[in-house]
Amino acid sequence: MDNNTLVIGFLIDYIEEHITDEISLDILAYASGYSQYHMHRMFTGLVGITLHQYIKRRQLTEAAKSLIFTDKRIIEIALDAGYESQQAFTLAFKDMYKQAPQRFRHNRLFRPIQLKFEVSENLTNLKGDRIMDIEVIEKGEINLVGYKANTKKGFFVIPRLWHKLHEGKNNIKNRMDLDYVV
């Protein structure tokens, strides 16, 4: 492995060991011996998201796990995830999981959003791309609803399609989950 990959591996391990602590770029830069700027560029280039995004996604994934597998109060989970209030935690959680922590706990379905990023030798030439483990799961028949558009003139049409879908989602027959549109 090259040095950059080793540094990223160190950062990820450090984040995992301190997932319930406050983790800042200053702390990570000091621990790794790199400048914030260089460390941030290396991490984003290899992992594909910023350090801040990775940390928040990991903390919220661990919080989601705690909601399902422990009886901890939501405020305790919020504090463990690095939030100063339950309200701030709830807003961030809803943004990532599309439902409030209380409802997520009630549904009892753990879906990890950001698992620990695994660094390996074949990642040295990625330049921001990601390797995904693909798992084929066979399901019964499903019906999908969607819209089609041409992006030759730009991707600005995608937000319009999402808006159109959300405007018309209540007219979709036989929806299974009325609060969630994928």
Side-chain angles (χ1 to χ4, degrees):
M1 273 192 244
D2 70 0
N3 191 49
N4 290 352
T5 308
L6 292 173
V7 171
I8 300 308
F10 168 81
L11 290 171
I12 289 170
D13 288 342
Y14 186 93
I15 291 166
E16 292 300 316
E17 291 170 19
H18 298 89
I19 199 76
T20 59
D21 300 337
E22 181 182 336
I23 305 170
S24 68
L25 286 180
D26 277 342
I27 292 168
L28 292 173
Y30 180 79
S32 67
Y34 282 84
S35 72
Q36 287 184 27
Y37 174 77
H38 186 66
M39 175 192 64
H40 192 268
R41 282 193 51 218
M42 283 191 304
F43 189 91
T44 304
L46 187 66
V47 178
I49 58 176
T50 67
L51 265 163
H52 179 74
Q53 289 170 322
Y54 179 80
I55 293 166
K56 286 299 165 198
R57 290 171 60 133
R58 282 295 300 129
Q59 288 173 329
L60 286 170
T61 297
E62 291 302 310
K65 188 189 298 182
S66 290
L67 286 167
I68 299 298
F69 300 111
T70 72
D71 291 329
K72 281 185 174 181
R73 294 185 358 217
I74 293 177
I75 186 65
E76 291 176 69
I77 294 170
L79 295 172
D80 284 347
Y83 292 88
E84 294 182 10
S85 71
Q86 187 169 334
Q87 181 181 9
F89 170 71
T90 297
L91 289 172
F93 193 89
K94 281 175 81 171
D95 187 46
M96 192 161 107
Y97 277 95
K98 309 302 181 211
Q99 56 187 307
Q102 187 75 17
R103 182 166 186 162
F104 185 85
R105 174 174 265 171
H106 176 76
N107 290 339
R108 310 290 304 164
L109 177 65
F110 176 61
R111 296 176 316 200
I113 298 287
Q114 181 70 58
L115 295 173
K116 178 183 176 187
F117 188 85
E118 296 296 332
V119 178
S120 63
E121 288 187 38
N122 61 348
L123 295 176
T124 56
N125 296 321
L126 279 179
K127 296 181 182 150
D129 293 335
R130 294 190 206 159
I131 293 175
M132 294 188 281
D133 293 330
I134 298 172
E135 179 181 355
V136 177
I137 301 173
E138 293 191 27
K139 296 252 182 193
E141 182 178 309
I142 62 171
N143 294 317
L144 301 174
V145 175
Y147 292 99
K148 179 178 162 182
N150 189 331
T151 58
K152 286 183 182 175
K153 293 184 181 179
F155 291 102
F156 61 89
V157 296
I158 294 172
R160 290 182 190 162
L161 292 176
W162 271 107
H163 183 70
K164 186 176 178 181
L165 177 63
H166 283 283
E167 280 182 343
K169 69 183 176 185
N170 293 327
N171 298 328
I172 300 171
K173 295 180 183 176
N174 302 323
R175 281 184 56 203
M176 300 302 284
D177 184 349
L178 299 179
D179 293 326
Y180 193 72
V181 175
V182 178

